[in-house]
Amino acid sequence: MNRKIIVTGGCGYIGSHAVIQLIENQFEVVVLDNLSNSSEANLGRIKQITGKQPLFIKVDLSNSEATSKIFKRHNDALAVIHFAALKAVGESINIPLKYYHNNLNCLLNTLNSQTENGINKFIFSSSATVYGTPDELPITEKSITKQPSSPYGNTKKIGEEIIEDYCKTELNFSSISLRYFNPIGAHESGIIGELPKGIPNNLMPYITQTAAGILDKLKVFGGDYPTQDGTAIRDYVHVVDLAQAHIHALNRLLNQEQEASFETFNLGSNKGYSVLEMIQTFEAVSKVKLNYEITERRTGDITQLYASTKLAEEKLGWKAQRTIEEMILSSWKWEQNLLSKKNRK
Ligand code: NAD
Ligand code: UFG
């Protein structure tokens, strides 16, 4: 039976973990990626874990002709999972057109090429950023979406609007948009994980690289937020839990269980942790003392963000299983593995 799924951005952090889950669920995977923020080495890591290497095609999906050609060759695919995007929030503020160009063209070309070839199921990597500064906590899918604080975030909000419009007019086309909160962690094997290029923007890789001695000191952005310890709160979700949610969403699409042609789901853990709690938990599970200092707030950061994932539980049958300790320990295991192999690519 045909089980082919096209995964764009499948060499990246979340995409590679989703490819592992797809292979373990007997799907045949075709990865499309231009490697702008990832490495082909991840394909070997996927093989090490699953025993299978997915077919890989290097392509820039913002190029419509190149994209179209590939989809023609794989017109027997059942669905597309679309991870491909640029994601550096700060860079997107400095170079907005790069983000609008890349993220929106990748999306438009993928949608066009897949429907030209009769592939009418689509999963989109969205983000909690579409809620802007929320009026209520926890955030539900009914919470209103707002102008995100960065052009990157806006590509997710506009992306969802494009897909929703498309679902209204394109008969048989259906889509699920997954709104990730803060993905962290790595595969339990320590074989694959997040590999940020250059200095990391996100908290978790900053913590592990500081603990590993690659970076000198972690800056905690803001100690004067109106929270229990003055630092900002986020909803962290294990990347393996997140990857598994894609299988649930895919099965919902393939089994035609959707209640609307466009659906959105929050993917988080229903819990908020402050930056200081993250540091303390890291120190407790790793037994490594972290060098950090509390500094000014980072522009654009909000105080608190955590999800209600009731809808995903009810409709997708998915709930994050892994604890914050497991998330942090798996990140640390991956970082140590990278150090021992001196193989940071
Ligand atoms: P990542 O950078 O590791 O993966 C994205 C992949 O897309 C990379 O392999 C990159 O090379 C590829 N890509 C980018 N532009 C491309 C293009 N023009 N053509 C082909 N491939 C291209 O990022 P990630 O953390 O794995 O994120 C995956 C998706 O999830 C992204 O859409 C991201 O915006 C979204 N997301 C991530 C987070 C997070 O915190 N990591 C949070 C919310 C949403
Ligand atoms: N933080 C620090 N020091 C650092 C890095 C982060 O104190 O060196 C703090 C941040 O201020 C924030 C928390 O740690 O309070 C988490 O920061 P991240 O950068 O890891 O994550 P964000 O919540 O800022 O960003 C995430 C995703 C983005 C998305 C954004 C908005 O990474 O893709 O949420 O929803 F756009």
Side-chain angles (χ1 to χ4, degrees), residues 130-145:
V130 300
Y131 295 112
T133 303
D135 298 326
E136 52 181 15
L137 289 167
I139 299 170
T140 73
E141 292 77 356
K142 288 210 172 85
S143 304
I144 51 168
T145 57

Side-chain angles (χ1 to χ4, degrees), residues 9 11-15 33-38 59-62 83-85 87 102 106 125-127 152 156 180 183:
C11 289
Y13 170 45
I14 305 169
D33 202 304
N34 68 350
L35 304 179
S36 59
N37 196 41
S38 55
V59 60
D60 181 348
L61 295 161
S62 70
F83 294 99
K87 62 162 185 176
N102 189 73
C106 283
S125 289
S126 187
S127 164
Y152 158 72
K156 295 296 169 191
Y180 313 153

